[in-house]
Amino acid sequence: MLLDLSCPLATLLQKGTHHAHKTVANSPGTIALVSGHLSKEEYIKYLLMLWHIYNAFEQALDQHTTHPTLEPTYSPTLLAHGPSLSADIAYLLGVPEASWKNHPMYIALLKDTHPALKAYVDHVRELAGSPDPLPLLAHAYVRYLGDLSGGQKVHHAIVKAYDLDGASGEGLSFYAFKELNSTKLAMQDEMKRIKEWFRDGMNKAGEQGDDVKASIVREANIAFDLNTELLNVINAKLAEAPKDLLIAIEQPSQEKTYPIYQVISVIVIADSLGIMDSLPSRDDGPPSLQDL
């Protein structure tokens, strides 16, 4: 795809990652997460893998806080989610946070690290140690804006799937964000403002030149591919699932008008185009397909 590099970086990323974004949306792993059909054990394993990824790229961002490409969106108080993942893992395993790394599930992950996880972490660390770490912005874009968008849909699904207390937030802190200018928990409208702030920061980073824009768009597609491979770890587990579970995931109930993978694709694509930010808030009721 030929991109007009005169456009702001945020616009280029929305357009330049459209295909990779759609691939993630259609992943059976994504469908399992959003529909709440992933077993609790497999969900915890997924969080364990995510913890390694966030630990790697957030450490990388901490190494380069004054880099001109990374500084405009660097805000660990607002965005850092490694500690949140740690808290959720401990809660879901039912152990103190200081001891979850001694849990057999985590030890097994270290003993037999999946190639997809190793490739992701190794790639981020390679970028962190490179002469110019600017591509790290692409990973922050893919993960953080994903958490602020589709991640909120996963939040609702796992509350029901694992009987979690949405009011207390225990086991759900990974999906929570604080407001831009306070320590209060961000609601939907505030999350929109956080996304706008992040996009403004990306556009500022893109002002350094077309080469910077092109490099970040290329790296964002790599980041999406790495996340797809990570979700394929879930896909492999789904292939071993009972047939009735796979039918439940792949086929909608009689009450549904659209297959779930189509709904997820529409939501993710709409968000990548900025459409989701214009939809009604939770207080206005859930958006319909007509809204999209």
Side-chain angles (χ1 to χ4, degrees):
M1 173 188 294
L2 292 177
L3 296 175
D4 181 0
L5 294 176
S6 66
C7 293
L9 177 57
T11 301
L12 292 173
L13 282 165
Q14 291 168 357
K15 294 180 178 179
T17 62
H18 177 82
H19 177 74
H21 207 166
K22 187 175 181 180
T23 299
V24 173
N26 283 296
S27 163
T30 299
I31 296 170
L33 280 169
V34 176
S35 62
H37 281 102
L38 196 64
S39 74
K40 186 176 181 180
E41 180 179 351
E42 290 306 320
Y43 176 68
I44 294 172
K45 289 179 181 178
Y46 180 63
L47 291 188
L48 288 170
M49 292 192 292
L50 282 185
W51 180 84
H52 276 280
I53 291 163
Y54 278 80
N55 190 51
F57 92 76
E58 289 181 343
Q59 284 185 4
L61 294 175
D62 289 342
Q63 288 178 238
H64 302 285
T65 59
T66 60
H67 190 282
T69 302
L70 304 175
E71 187 276 333
T73 56
Y74 179 74
S75 179
T77 302
L78 179 67
L79 298 173
H81 269 51
S84 300
L85 280 164
S86 179
D88 289 350
I89 290 166
Y91 179 80
L92 292 169
L93 288 174
V95 299
E97 188 172 350
S99 64
W100 65 260
K101 292 180 184 178
N102 297 321
H103 194 279
M105 193 181 295
Y106 181 68
I107 293 173
L109 177 67
L110 293 181
K111 186 177 179 180
D112 187 22
T113 303
H114 196 281
L117 175 59
K118 185 177 186 304
Y120 201 150
V121 172
D122 287 350
H123 181 72
V124 169
R125 288 175 175 166
E126 183 180 351
L127 291 177
S130 66
D132 190 356
L134 71 86
L136 287 169
L137 177 58
H139 291 269
Y141 161 73
V142 169
R143 287 305 330 176
Y144 290 141
L145 286 194
D147 297 338
L148 284 159
S149 303
Q152 301 308 304
K153 299 167 183 63
V154 176
H155 168 275
H156 294 303
I158 66 173
V159 166
K160 296 179 180 178
Y162 313 131
D163 195 26
L164 299 177
D165 184 353
S168 73
E170 291 182 312
L172 300 163
S173 56
F174 174 61
Y175 305 99
F177 286 82
K178 294 179 181 177
E179 293 184 351
L180 275 169
N181 300 311
S182 80
T183 59
K184 296 179 181 178
L185 285 180
M187 297 294 103
Q188 184 171 340
D189 287 346
E190 181 66 15
M191 288 189 184
K192 292 178 183 178
R193 284 189 282 271
I194 295 172
K195 288 191 282 187
E196 290 168 1
W197 168 83
F198 195 91
R199 289 174 181 134
D200 288 343
M202 289 194 300
N203 289 338
K204 183 176 180 181
E207 291 172 1
Q208 296 174 69
D210 290 354
D211 289 347
V212 169
K213 293 179 181 178
S215 175
I216 293 172
V217 172
R218 283 195 300 271
E219 187 63 29
N221 280 285
I222 292 173
F224 272 115
D225 290 344
L226 289 168
N227 277 280
T228 299
E229 290 303 313
L230 199 69
L231 286 163
N232 284 340
V233 178
I234 296 177
N235 298 354
K237 296 298 181 182
L238 289 175
E240 302 168 4
K243 183 176 292 185
D244 57 346
L245 173 59
L246 296 180
I247 291 173
I249 293 174
E250 294 172 358
Q251 296 183 3
S253 69
Q254 294 300 315
E255 296 177 357
K256 300 291 184 181
T257 304
Y258 299 93
I260 188 169
Y261 74 87
Q262 290 183 4
V263 176
I264 294 171
S265 297
V266 170
I267 291 172
V268 173
I269 293 168
D271 181 75
S272 72
L273 297 175
I275 297 172
M276 293 299 291
D277 290 342
S278 65
L279 295 181
S281 66
R282 291 178 193 170
D283 294 337
D284 297 327
S288 66
L289 287 176
Q290 286 76 16
D291 292 322
L292 298 178

